Amino acid sequence: MILGIGTDLANIDRIQNTLHRFGDRFRNRVFTPTELVKAARRHDEAGTLAKRWAAKEACSKALGTGLRMGIAWRDMAVSNLGTGQPVMHLTGWAADRLARMTPPGHRAVVHVTLTDDHPWAQAFVVIEALPLAAPPA
């Protein structure tokens, strides 16, 4: 069953301007060390961070809260599998919120997809509840 859906569209140039204006203060307030390492290795740091910004916004919407009610930017983080597939990790209040919205007897799975076409970065997040496997008889 679907527990939540969120989407966000971020302007890469806006993120670039924010990076120029606030630098590490912005980077460290919003992004995790893993996200920053990934962005630093890319030729388009702003594009990489804009996709992650959009993913965090989309995730907060899928959680039904937006960026309020205690969720911190760094409570949501995107990494990538070896195949390149993005994966959303929740900690802190975001993880607590996810646990509260997951029905008993289910586990939550957070799906995320990212795309960009300058000057836009976009993310979709779907939170799904899957039934726990029945114990073997």
Side-chain angles (χ1 to χ4, degrees):
M1 88 181 69
I2 302 297
L3 299 179
I5 300 171
T7 186
D8 192 67
L9 185 65
N11 185 289
I12 296 168
D13 294 332
R14 180 174 167 245
I15 297 297
Q16 181 66 61
N17 291 338
T18 303
L19 288 168
H20 284 310
R21 185 169 179 199
F22 297 105
D24 286 342
R25 195 170 102 203
F26 170 67
R27 284 179 185 91
N28 295 326
R29 181 176 151 252
V30 175
F31 303 101
T32 65
T34 301
E35 291 172 315
L36 293 173
V37 166
K38 171 92 173 175
R41 289 193 316 242
R42 305 302 285 278
H43 73 279
D44 182 15
E45 178 191 25
T48 300
L49 293 178
K51 285 186 280 190
R52 279 143 182 79
W53 171 282
K56 292 166 188 269
E57 286 274 7
C59 186
S60 71
K61 293 170 185 174
L63 289 168
T65 64
L67 283 161
R68 57 184 176 85
M69 296 177 58
I71 287 185
W73 287 102
R74 291 169 45 125
D75 284 349
M76 300 165 288
V78 177
S79 67
N80 295 83
L81 299 176
T83 61
Q85 177 183 351
V87 179
M88 179 67 72
H89 306 276
L90 303 181
T91 60
W93 197 93
D96 293 343
R97 169 71 178 152
L98 181 62
R100 285 193 309 274
M101 62 191 285
T102 304
H106 290 74
R107 66 179 177 88
V109 178
V110 180
H111 304 277
V112 61
T113 187
L114 309 172
T115 192
D116 65 292
D117 187 7
H118 195 89
W120 301 108
Q122 186 173 32
F124 287 95
V125 171
V126 176
I127 301 175
E128 177 183 24
L130 297 174
L132 295 174

